[in-house]
Amino acid sequence: MDIFSAAVMLFLIMDPLGNLPIFASILRHIDPKKRRKVLIRELLFALIIMLSFLYAGEAILNFLNLRSESVSIAGGIILFLIAIKMIFPSPGGVAGLAAGEEPFIVPMAIPLMAGPSILAALILLAHTDGNRMIDWTIALVSAWALSAFILMFYKLFTRILGEKGLTAVERLMGMVLVMISVQMLLDGISNYINTATP
C-alpha cells in the first residue's frame, strides 16, 4: 500500500462528512465565540491520539494486556450511547453536556474523530510494515488535515440545512450510528471468540 492509498483509506474511516451533523449538534450548545477554539483543540487531541496509536498502539495494548477486540467493543458501546442520544435528544444534547459546557476529548476527539476503527487500522499499518512509519505518518496527517478542513466549515452546512434540517440529519445519522456501533460490537465479539477458540 502506497502513501496515497493509505491516506484515502484513513480518510474514509475518519468519515468527516458523516461526523458533520454530530459535531454541529455538539458545538451549537457552546458559546459561539468559543466554538472554533474548541473544535481546533479537539481535532488536535484526535491527531495526537492517532499518532500515539500509530507509534505505540500495539505496545500499549500489550502492556495493558488488552486485545485489539477490546478497542472495537468499547468503541461500539460508546458510539451506541451517543447514537441513542442523537435519536432521543436530551437537554444536554448529544454529548450529555449542560448548555455552554465544553466537550473535552470525549466524544469529539474520541470516538468520533479518532474512533476504534481508525485506531485499529493504524495499529495494523504499523504491525504489517513497521519500516515505513514515515509513510504512514504522512498518510495519517494528510487524511486528518483534509478531515479537519471539512469539519471546520460545519457552519456552512448548518446554514444550508437550517435548524430543522440539521435535527433531521442528526436523527438519521443516529440511526446509522446505531447500526455501525452494533456492527463494531459484533465484530469485536466475533473476533474474540474466533481467536479464543483453539
Side-chain angles (χ1 to χ4, degrees), residues 142-163:
S142 301
W144 172 85
L146 184 55
S147 298
F149 178 79
I150 291 171
L151 290 169
M152 289 297 288
F153 287 94
Y154 77 94
K155 283 185 180 179
L156 175 64
F157 291 86
T158 303
R159 280 198 293 268
I160 293 171
L161 292 170
E163 193 71 23

Side-chain angles (χ1 to χ4, degrees), residues 44-184:
L44 288 174
F45 274 139
L47 178 61
I48 292 169
I49 291 162
M50 288 187 287
L51 285 170
S52 299
F53 267 78
L54 177 63
Y55 282 90
E58 199 169 4
I60 292 170
L61 293 180
N62 290 336
F63 176 76
L64 297 174
N65 199 26
L66 296 173
R67 300 170 58 158
S68 57
E69 291 84 358
S70 304
V71 179
S72 179
I73 293 171
I77 293 170
I78 293 170
L79 277 183
F80 182 81
L81 294 174
I82 292 171
I84 292 298
K85 288 191 176 185
M86 288 177 68
I87 299 169
F88 305 105
S90 60
V94 175
L97 302 169
E101 186 179 349
E102 296 181 10
F104 190 76
I105 299 181
V106 176
M108 292 176 72
I110 300 175
L112 295 178
M113 190 70 176
S117 298
I118 191 77
L119 298 181
L122 291 170
I123 292 173
L124 185 62
L125 282 175
H127 180 72
T128 52
D129 199 343
N131 296 322
R132 298 178 60 196
M133 296 303 290
I134 293 176
D135 290 351
W136 305 145
T137 303
I138 294 171
L140 171 59
V141 173
S142 301
W144 172 85
L146 184 55
S147 298
F149 178 79
I150 291 171
L151 290 169
M152 289 297 288
F153 287 94
Y154 77 94
K155 283 185 180 179
L156 175 64
F157 291 86
T158 303
R159 280 198 293 268
I160 293 171
L161 292 170
E163 193 71 23
K164 289 186 178 180
L166 188 62
T167 301
V169 172
E170 181 183 339
R171 293 188 180 180
L172 177 62
M173 285 306 303
M175 290 298 298
V176 174
L177 268 184
V178 166
M179 292 183 282
I180 293 173
S181 64
V182 170
Q183 187 62 55
M184 284 167 47

